[in-house]
């Protein structure tokens, strides 16, 4: 799922007018972390674990909590200090756990609450923090609230969801992201009414207007915070508030549905209440999936004075690889714009992949054998040298690539299967669809973690729930541990570099050589210390035009054994120079 943020032309024009040609400059973030006891999340490096595909411990082919526990020393060895775990709650798994049927229990496939308690204890013993997914825009249709709600119009749970009585006629059209017909209302004959589901039919939207629903959610959050977890990632939260009079939207609104769905109604009120009731009472961080439609939305979410959330992640950056007309110029422009907008206040995250995206190296780098390692390292250099909290997806530290499945039977993702079925029903171009999936389907990022060259890459002794990437015999953690030049070792080095250098967290960012179509060049600067980062995003030699004297500089790190000391970069070369 990805949501495209739109930014006003006015902001762009204003930024462009204020800056010298060729530069996008932002100020040092004035918010000094040392003055704030609760800013560990700014310095954090978040490693995302996709539990279903990380490590299986019992041979059922599905990753589990015991499996994660057995790999904690590996995670610790990476140098990261925070783990974000995708949902592990009870779920019928229509959407791999994003359809929760019991928020206070663990999914059977993943283990038990005892396993969870041990996981948390073992993580804390290693100095690792745990951020949990909070999926409360919707629940599963198998949640007791929904079965009750469905049972009768008089149920005390009726108002936990959005129902439209059929005697009022068909409800005004609402677009669904995952439904096979893209229709978010589903008729239920049991009570002769339609219910709303922005995602799949098995993910009915909760009614946040009901204070009882909000209280239930606060109680769930307290349940986990009392266990000692360290943060929440608010899934699809921008959609929680709705105009429940359900006015008609203009025809074709679904092409721009974010405008109608995201950040509506009393969303900020709900967040402020959540902050007051839960977040402010614990040392937990909070991050929203999605940053709204404008910079103003994004700022309002994370402005400390408003007491809502700590940070948000925007989709503009990761969406670029899917858009027509992808270019490095656009990539630079988007990341520079976001950095500028948050230079003075607020905090963002930086990422190029997660469980909703295909693999980073296949989308933004080059996954051919010749350039896979170099371009993986280059992209990792980008993530670790930008401002904002890095979110790094498991397997990218090995340079894992898209699986590129050829047959629809190999895919598991529910919305993908629905799209396929809908296209087939229409007699659409299946070959083109399959080709597109090879590049962008999120299942590419969900194949089992490649631990070793052993059967099933050491992920399971059973049959994996989704096929492995065929390249695991060569591309795996065990092999990379033995090779000091591997992507894995590079990741560890650059993580350490970020942790040792506050400049990479808080330093001022300035884009140089803006119109260079091949090289992304910028500086980071803090307290008189200045580093230059040059990244060749192309598979050919390219020159950066920094306008700086590099001769006196010292190479801090690079992805070639002997890094360039000047502006001439080799294919996918990344160099950090201290000036
Ligand atoms: C978020 C999740 C995604 C899920 C969707 C519905 O976008 O990241 O994986 O499918 O919400 O919960």
């Amino acid at each position: 799922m990805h949501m495209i943020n739109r930014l006003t032309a006015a902001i762009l024009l204003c930024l462009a007018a204020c800056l010298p040609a060729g530069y996008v400059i932002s100020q040092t973030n004035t918010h000094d972390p040392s003055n704030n006891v609760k800013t560990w999340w700014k310095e954090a490096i978040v490693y995302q674990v996709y539990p279903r595909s990380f490590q299986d411990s019992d041979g059922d082919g599905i990753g589990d909590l015991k499996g994660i526990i057995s790999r904690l020393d590996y995670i610790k060895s990476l140098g990261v200090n925070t783990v974000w775990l995708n949902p592990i709650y009870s779920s019928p798994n229509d959407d791999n756990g994003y359809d929760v049927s019991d928020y206070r229990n663990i999914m059977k496939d993943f283990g038990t609450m005892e396993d969870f308690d041990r996981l948390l204890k073992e993580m804390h013993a290693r100095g690792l923090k745990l951020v949990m997914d909070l999926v409360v825009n919707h629940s599963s249709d198998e949640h007791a609230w929904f079965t009750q709600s469905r049972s009768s119009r008089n149920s005390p749970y009726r108002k936990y969801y959005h129902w439209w009585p059929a005697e009022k006629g068909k409800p005004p059209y609402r677009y669904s992201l995952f439904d096979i017909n893209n229709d978010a209302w589903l008729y239920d004959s049991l009570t002769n009414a339609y219910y709303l589901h922005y995602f799949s039919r098995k993910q009915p939207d909760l009614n946040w207007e009901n204070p009882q629903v909000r209280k239930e959610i606060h109680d769930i959050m307290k349940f986990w915070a009392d266990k000692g977890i360290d943060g929440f990632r608010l899934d699809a939260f921008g959609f929680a508030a709705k105009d429940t009079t359900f006015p008609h939207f203009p025809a074709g609104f679904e092409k721009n549905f974010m405008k109608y769905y995201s950040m509506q109604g009393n969303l900020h009120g709900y967040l402020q209440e959540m902050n007051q009731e839960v977040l402010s009472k614990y040392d937990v961080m909070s991050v929203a999936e999605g940053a709204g439609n404008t910079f103003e939305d994004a700022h309002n979410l994370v402005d400390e004075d408003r007491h809502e959330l700590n940070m948000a992640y925007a989709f503009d950056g990761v969406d670029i690889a899917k858009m027509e007309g992808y270019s490095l110029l656009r990539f630079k422009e988007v990341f520079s714009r976001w950095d500028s907008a948050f230079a003075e206040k607020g905090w963002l995250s930086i990422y190029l992949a997660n469980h909703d995206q295909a693999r980073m190296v296949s989308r933004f780098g080059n996954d051919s054998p010749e350039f896979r390692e170099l371009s993986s390292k280059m992209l990792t250099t980008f993530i670790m040298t930008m401002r904002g909290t890095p979110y790094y997806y498991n397997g990218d530290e090995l340079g894992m690539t898209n699986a590129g499945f050829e047959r629809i039977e190999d895919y598991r993702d529910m919305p993908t299967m629905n799209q396929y079925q809908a296209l087939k029903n229409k007699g659409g171009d299946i070959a083109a669809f399959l080709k597109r999936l090879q590049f962008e389907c999120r299942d590419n990022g969900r194949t089992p973690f490649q631990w070793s060259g052993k059967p099933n890459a050491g992920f399971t002794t059973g049959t994996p729930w989704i096929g492995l990437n065929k390249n695991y015999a060569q591309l795996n953690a065990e092999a990379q541990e033995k090779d000091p030049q591997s992507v894995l070792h590079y990741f560890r080095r650059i993580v350490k570099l970020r942790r040792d250098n506050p400049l990479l967290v808080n330093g001022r960012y300035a884009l140089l050589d803006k119109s260079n179509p091949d090289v992304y060049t910028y500086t980071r600067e803090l307290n008189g210390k200045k580093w230059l980062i040059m990244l060749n995003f192309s598979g050919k030699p390219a020159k950066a035009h920094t306008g700086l004297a590099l001769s006196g500089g010292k190479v801090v790190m690079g992805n070639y054994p002997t890094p360039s000391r000047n502006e001439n970069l080799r294919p996918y070369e990344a160099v950090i120079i201290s000036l």
Side-chain angles (χ1 to χ4, degrees):
M1 224 278 301
H2 58 284
M3 310 168 198
I4 299 177
N5 291 288
R6 282 156 300 277
L7 300 159
T8 60
I11 293 173
L12 276 174
L13 282 173
C14 170
L15 275 176
C18 304
L19 301 170
Y23 280 75
V24 172
I25 296 195
S26 57
Q27 303 301 307
T28 303
N29 197 300
T30 47
H31 196 244
D32 177 0
S34 57
N35 291 334
N36 189 330
V37 286
K38 287 194 177 181
T39 52
W40 59 266
W41 41 269
K42 285 190 179 171
E43 288 91 51
I45 298 180
V46 183
Y47 180 74
Q48 182 187 352
V49 169
Y50 194 65
R52 216 175 170 72
S53 300
F54 199 59
Q55 177 68 65
D56 179 21
S57 73
D58 58 7
D60 67 357
I62 299 173
D64 49 40
L65 300 187
K66 282 197 177 119
I68 299 173
I69 295 171
S70 73
R71 296 296 186 182
L72 285 179
D73 288 336
Y74 168 82
I75 297 176
K76 176 74 185 164
S77 82
L78 298 174
V80 300
N81 48 13
T82 304
V83 171
W84 155 28
L85 214 54
N86 291 94
I88 54 168
Y89 318 102
S90 301
S91 164
N93 271 312
D94 181 51
D95 186 19
N96 285 6
Y98 282 94
D99 46 322
V100 180
S101 53
D102 182 351
Y103 291 93
R104 289 186 178 80
N105 246 314
I106 303 296
M107 190 193 298
K108 286 205 177 54
D109 290 341
F110 290 169
T112 62
M113 193 58 91
E114 286 70 48
D115 296 339
F116 174 81
D117 291 339
R118 208 182 119 217
L119 172 68
L120 185 61
K121 204 166 144 224
E122 300 256 359
M123 285 184 65
H124 284 169
R126 289 168 177 80
L128 294 167
K129 294 188 185 279
L130 177 61
V131 173
M132 304 267 286
D133 231 302
L134 183 70
V135 190
V136 287
N137 170 67
H138 45 267
S139 73
S140 161
D141 66 338
E142 295 182 34
H143 193 291
W145 297 335
F146 190 75
T147 45
Q148 290 282 330
S149 184
R150 235 195 118 203
S151 65
S152 148
R153 289 192 181 191
N154 301 320
S155 159
Y157 290 90
R158 189 66 170 180
K159 291 208 166 78
Y160 272 44
Y161 297 87
H162 301 283
W163 290 96
W164 180 275
E167 61 274 16
K168 280 171 68 183
K170 271 201 89 174
Y173 175 62
R174 288 294 179 271
Y175 169 75
S176 163
L177 286 110
F178 289 178
D179 188 86
I180 188 163
N181 303 322
N182 293 124
D183 185 348
W185 289 108
L186 189 69
Y187 177 71
D188 187 20
S189 60
L190 200 61
T191 54
N192 189 34
Y194 297 82
Y195 70 86
L196 185 75
H197 62 93
Y198 277 180
F199 291 91
S200 88
R201 295 171 181 189
K202 290 187 67 60
Q203 295 169 299
D205 284 47
L206 284 159
N207 177 9
W208 276 74
E209 263 179 24
N210 181 348
Q212 192 57 35
V213 167
R214 304 201 301 275
K215 171 143 191 340
E216 298 262 19
I217 288 162
H218 299 157
D219 289 348
I220 290 165
M221 293 174 77
K222 286 180 196 159
F223 172 84
W224 291 99
D226 284 336
K227 278 186 175 284
I229 70 157
D230 306 286
F232 295 100
R233 176 244 186 207
L234 278 71
D235 179 71
F237 193 76
F239 294 164
K242 299 166 175 86
D243 179 347
T244 53
T245 63
F246 294 108
H248 280 278
F249 290 156
F253 87 91
E254 64 276 11
K255 295 193 185 74
N256 197 7
F257 70 93
M258 285 295 288
K259 185 171 154 205
Y260 296 87
Y261 281 14
S262 179
M263 314 288 287
Q264 301 297 302
N266 194 21
L267 188 84
H268 292 294
Y270 299 154
L271 286 173
Q272 280 158 12
E273 183 187 53
M274 180 189 279
N275 187 297
Q276 200 180 340
E277 293 296 319
V278 188
L279 298 172
S280 62
K281 297 189 173 148
Y282 299 86
D283 185 9
V284 288
M285 67 153 241
S286 50
V287 54
E289 183 200 22
N293 297 318
T294 62
F295 282 147
E296 196 188 345
D297 285 345
H299 275 290
N300 286 344
L301 282 174
V302 300
D303 180 342
E304 279 173 31
D305 300 335
R306 293 168 57 91
H307 304 288
E308 296 185 18
L309 302 175
N310 297 134
M311 57 183 144
Y313 61 84
F315 295 95
D316 293 25
V318 285
D319 277 339
I320 298 175
K322 285 188 190 163
M323 278 165 35
E324 302 274 327
Y326 164 80
S327 74
L328 180 65
L329 295 181
R330 181 145 175 74
F331 186 92
K332 294 198 258 191
E333 186 269 324
V334 167
F335 280 97
S336 301
R337 185 152 40 86
W338 276 92
D339 184 88
S340 298
F342 281 78
E344 298 291 349
K345 207 169 187 203
W347 195 250
L348 277 185
S349 56
I350 281 284
Y351 73 109
L352 285 179
N354 60 29
H355 66 292
D356 288 333
Q357 312 291 335
R359 283 286 170 189
M360 165 177 99
V361 67
S362 302
R363 297 180 70 217
F364 294 100
N366 183 330
D367 62 9
S368 70
E370 190 183 1
F371 291 129
R372 180 183 62 77
E373 294 189 15
L374 280 168
S375 65
S376 292
K377 292 174 184 170
M378 187 274 292
L379 293 169
T380 297
T381 312
F382 168 71
I383 296 174
M384 294 299 163
T385 58
M386 288 293 283
R387 185 156 48 187
T389 301
Y391 283 69
Y392 200 87
Y393 188 55
N394 61 192
D396 284 346
E397 78 276 22
L398 307 177
M400 277 179 66
T401 61
N402 277 2
F405 296 133
E406 282 163 14
R407 304 171 320 148
I408 194 67
E409 295 76 31
D410 294 329
Y411 289 91
R412 299 285 176 270
D413 181 42
M414 169 267 296
T416 300
M417 301 320 271
N418 283 346
Q419 281 169 24
Y420 171 78
Q421 201 49 53
L423 193 68
K424 209 168 150 211
N425 296 346
K426 276 198 308 211
D429 186 345
I430 298 289
F433 177 71
L434 286 174
K435 188 131 192 60
R436 191 158 59 77
L437 292 184
Q438 289 187 318
F439 176 67
E440 68 179 36
C441 180
R442 59 186 187 171
D443 273 350
N444 284 298
R446 296 177 175 189
T447 60
F449 195 95
Q450 295 171 199
W451 293 106
S452 70
K454 298 196 190 91
N456 293 325
F459 163 69
T460 181
T461 52
T463 307
W465 71 276
I466 188 170
L468 286 118
N469 190 316
K470 291 199 197 86
N471 61 13
Y472 77 82
Q474 301 80 41
L475 196 173
N476 61 66
E478 199 176 272
Q480 294 196 22
E481 289 287 1
K482 294 181 196 139
D483 173 8
Q485 299 302 327
S486 65
V487 180
L488 175 60
H489 282 295
Y490 186 86
F491 179 71
R492 288 189 176 122
R493 287 201 293 277
I494 200 152
V495 164
K496 181 164 178 347
L497 189 75
R498 184 169 178 108
R499 292 190 64 176
D500 291 347
N501 289 280
L503 166 145
L504 290 178
V505 178
N506 289 300
R508 177 168 90 143
Y509 161 95
L511 174 69
L512 311 181
D513 199 9
K514 186 178 161 193
S515 53
N516 190 324
D518 299 317
V519 184
Y520 193 166
T521 307
Y522 47 95
T523 53
R524 301 292 311 276
E525 200 172 350
L526 187 70
N527 301 332
K529 198 166 147 186
K530 186 170 178 175
W531 285 6
L532 170 72
I533 294 104
M534 295 185 289
L535 308 169
N536 183 359
F537 271 70
S538 81
K540 51 186 200 236
K543 188 169 163 53
H545 305 276
T546 64
L548 298 168
L550 305 193
S551 48
K554 188 174 145 282
V555 174
V556 178
M557 204 168 154
N559 65 348
Y560 274 78
T562 324
S564 292
R565 286 168 187 280
N566 57 42
E567 294 177 330
N568 295 313
L569 304 173
R570 286 160 286 183
Y572 296 107
E573 179 154 20
V575 199
I576 306 172
I577 295 182
S578 162
L579 296 171

